[in-house]
Amino acid sequence: MTSLEVIRGDITTLTVDAVVNAANPGLLGGGGVDGAIHRAAGPALREECRRIAAAREAGGAGAACPPGEAVITGAGRLPCRRVIHAVGPVWRGGGGGEPELLASCYRNALLLAEEAGLESVAFPNISTGVYGYPKDKAAREALAAVRETLPRAPGVRRVVFVCFDGENYGLYRKLLA
Ligand code: ADP
């Protein structure tokens, strides 16, 4: 059985195999958890993201990483081994496919972790900051997506939901109780 855990804190401090970043489609670093991850990881991570973004944009894919998709990189100076950059949807009322795109972030991040042989993965509460996704919906959908995907990611033994704010922490505590 894979363990599903919730902790309250700063995801940049965790010694897990992979930390998931709530990235933006350009992979260039922004505010919130993305900014915290890039600040803590240092310039090597930014440079790797820049290279991936340039290659993908040159390949005609449009955005380097469209909402719902994810890419994996090294982790620079972070204590984890890899960073998985997943781009969440911006909340626009829920009728624009947001639930499927949010689920897709969690699913693709777990499948990348599986492919890379990573056993422990920490997720932030994707889209619930600047992107405005209602926290209760996001928490339920994130958990459902993770539970649905785990059978296809048998190497992932531990999933940690890292909540920075008290509201998300309370929601996850309740849902995982
Ligand atoms: P998004 O653009 O996907 O909404 P944000 O970074 O604005 O991304 O917010 C996503 C979530 O990350 C929010 O719930 C926010 O409280 C949380 N967050 C911000 N900083 C950190 C951090 N250092 N560690 C973990 N979570 C964080």
Side-chain angles (χ1 to χ4, degrees):
M1 264 296 271
T2 300
S3 82
L4 299 183
E5 301 165 30
V6 54
I7 62 168
R8 185 164 183 190
D10 176 356
I11 203 166
T12 65
T13 65
L14 298 189
T15 311
V16 286
D17 289 335
V19 154
V20 177
N21 180 19
N24 60 51
L27 297 177
L28 293 178
V33 70
D34 195 15
I37 284 174
H38 277 282
R39 267 193 307 280
L45 180 62
R46 195 157 284 134
E47 187 44 42
E48 190 177 356
C49 285
R50 216 190 330 265
R51 276 201 308 273
I52 292 172
R56 290 185 148 220
E57 283 160 7
C65 190
E69 295 189 14
V71 302
I72 187 165
T73 64
R77 296 194 289 252
L78 290 171
C80 58
R81 289 167 54 199
R82 310 293 295 272
V83 176
I84 297 172
H85 307 262
V87 179
V90 174
W91 178 258
R92 294 199 167 90
E98 294 95 325
E100 175 44 31
L101 291 171
L102 187 67
S104 171
C105 283
Y106 284 89
R107 181 168 61 241
N108 286 325
L110 281 178
L111 294 176
L112 281 176
E114 172 72 16
E115 208 178 288
L118 305 173
E119 292 185 5
S120 53
V121 181
F123 283 98
N125 309 129
I126 298 172
S127 285
T128 69
V130 173
Y131 281 5
Y133 212 106
K135 291 178 181 173
D136 55 340
K137 284 192 206 307
R140 275 185 274 114
E141 290 163 11
L143 264 171
V146 165
R147 285 187 166 128
E148 242 172 69
T149 308
L150 280 173
R152 290 161 61 197
V156 177
R157 309 305 304 157
R158 182 173 174 231
V159 174
V160 186
F161 296 95
V162 184
C163 303
F164 199 62
D165 60 86
E167 188 184 347
N168 269 314
Y169 183 62
L171 286 164
Y172 276 88
R173 282 281 299 254
K174 215 163 75 191
L175 289 168
L176 285 170

